[in-house]
Coordinates of all heavy atoms in Angstrom, one line a residue:
R142 N 71.3 135.9 80.5 CA 71.4 137.4 80.8 C 72.5 138.0 80.2 O 73.7 137.5 80.4 CB 71.4 137.5 82.4 CG 71.3 139.0 82.9 CD 70.8 139.0 84.3 NE 69.5 138.5 84.3 CZ 68.9 138.2 85.6 NH1 69.5 138.3 86.7 NH2 67.7 137.7 85.6
V143 N 72.3 138.9 79.3 CA 73.4 139.7 78.7 C 73.8 140.9 79.5 O 73.0 141.8 79.8 CB 73.0 140.2 77.3 CG1 74.1 140.9 76.6 CG2 72.5 139.0 76.5
L144 N 75.1 140.8 80.1 CA 75.6 141.8 80.9 C 76.5 142.8 80.1 O 77.3 142.4 79.2 CB 76.6 141.2 81.9 CG 76.0 140.1 82.9 CD1 77.1 139.7 83.9 CD2 74.7 140.6 83.5
I145 N 76.2 144.1 80.2 CA 77.1 145.1 79.6 C 78.0 145.7 80.6 O 77.5 146.1 81.6 CB 76.0 146.3 79.0 CG1 74.9 145.7 78.2 CG2 76.9 147.3 78.2 CD1 75.4 144.9 76.9
G146 N 79.3 145.8 80.3 CA 80.2 146.3 81.2 C 81.0 147.4 80.6 O 81.4 147.4 79.4
E147 N 81.1 148.5 81.3 CA 82.0 149.6 81.0 C 83.4 149.2 81.5 O 83.6 148.9 82.7 CB 81.6 150.9 81.6 CG 82.5 152.0 81.1 CD 82.0 153.4 81.5 OE1 80.8 153.5 81.9 OE2 82.8 154.4 81.5
V148 N 84.4 149.2 80.5 CA 85.8 149.0 80.9 C 86.5 150.0 81.5 O 86.6 151.2 81.0 CB 86.6 148.5 79.6 CG1 88.0 148.0 79.9 CG2 85.8 147.3 78.8
V149 N 86.9 149.8 82.8 CA 87.4 150.8 83.6 C 88.9 150.6 83.8 O 89.7 151.4 84.4 CB 86.7 151.0 84.9 CG1 85.3 151.5 84.7 CG2 86.7 149.8 85.8
G150 N 89.4 149.4 83.4 CA 90.9 149.2 83.4 C 91.2 148.0 82.5 O 90.4 147.2 82.1
L151 N 92.5 148.0 82.1 CA 93.0 146.9 81.3 C 94.2 146.3 82.0 O 95.0 147.0 82.6 CB 93.5 147.6 79.9 CG 92.4 148.2 79.1 CD1 93.0 148.9 77.8 CD2 91.4 147.1 78.5
G152 N 94.3 144.9 81.9 CA 95.4 144.2 82.4 C 95.8 143.0 81.6 O 95.5 142.9 80.4
G153 N 96.5 142.1 82.3 CA 96.9 140.9 81.6 C 98.4 141.1 81.3 O 99.1 141.9 81.8
A154 N 98.8 140.2 80.4 CA 100.4 140.1 80.2 C 100.9 141.2 79.3 O 102.1 141.4 79.2 CB 100.7 138.7 79.5
G155 N 100.0 142.1 78.7 CA 100.5 143.1 77.8 C 101.0 142.7 76.4 O 100.5 141.6 76.0
A156 N 101.9 143.4 75.9 CA 102.3 143.1 74.5 C 102.7 141.6 74.4 O 103.5 141.1 75.2 CB 103.5 144.0 74.0
Q157 N 102.2 140.9 73.4 CA 102.5 139.5 73.3 C 103.8 139.3 72.4 O 104.0 139.8 71.4 CB 101.3 138.8 72.6 CG 100.0 139.0 73.3 CD 99.9 138.1 74.5 OE1 100.0 137.0 74.6 NE2 99.9 138.8 75.7
P158 N 104.7 138.3 73.0 CA 105.9 138.1 72.2 C 105.6 137.3 70.9 O 104.5 136.7 70.9 CB 106.7 137.1 73.2 CG 105.7 136.6 74.1 CD 104.6 137.7 74.2
A159 N 106.5 137.3 69.9 CA 106.2 136.6 68.7 C 106.1 135.1 69.0 O 106.7 134.5 70.0 CB 107.5 136.7 67.8
G160 N 105.1 134.5 68.4 CA 104.8 133.1 68.7 C 103.9 132.8 69.8 O 103.4 131.7 70.0
A161 N 103.5 133.9 70.4 CA 102.5 133.7 71.5 C 101.1 133.2 70.9 O 100.7 133.6 69.9 CB 102.2 135.1 72.3
T162 N 100.3 132.4 71.7 CA 99.1 131.9 71.1 C 98.0 132.3 72.0 O 98.1 132.7 73.2 CB 99.2 130.3 71.0 OG1 99.5 129.8 72.4 CG2 100.2 129.9 70.1

Side-chain angles (χ1 to χ4, degrees):
R142 187 157 293 162
V143 177
L144 304 182
I145 310 293
E147 183 175 340
V148 180
V149 295
L151 294 171
Q157 300 290 292
T162 56

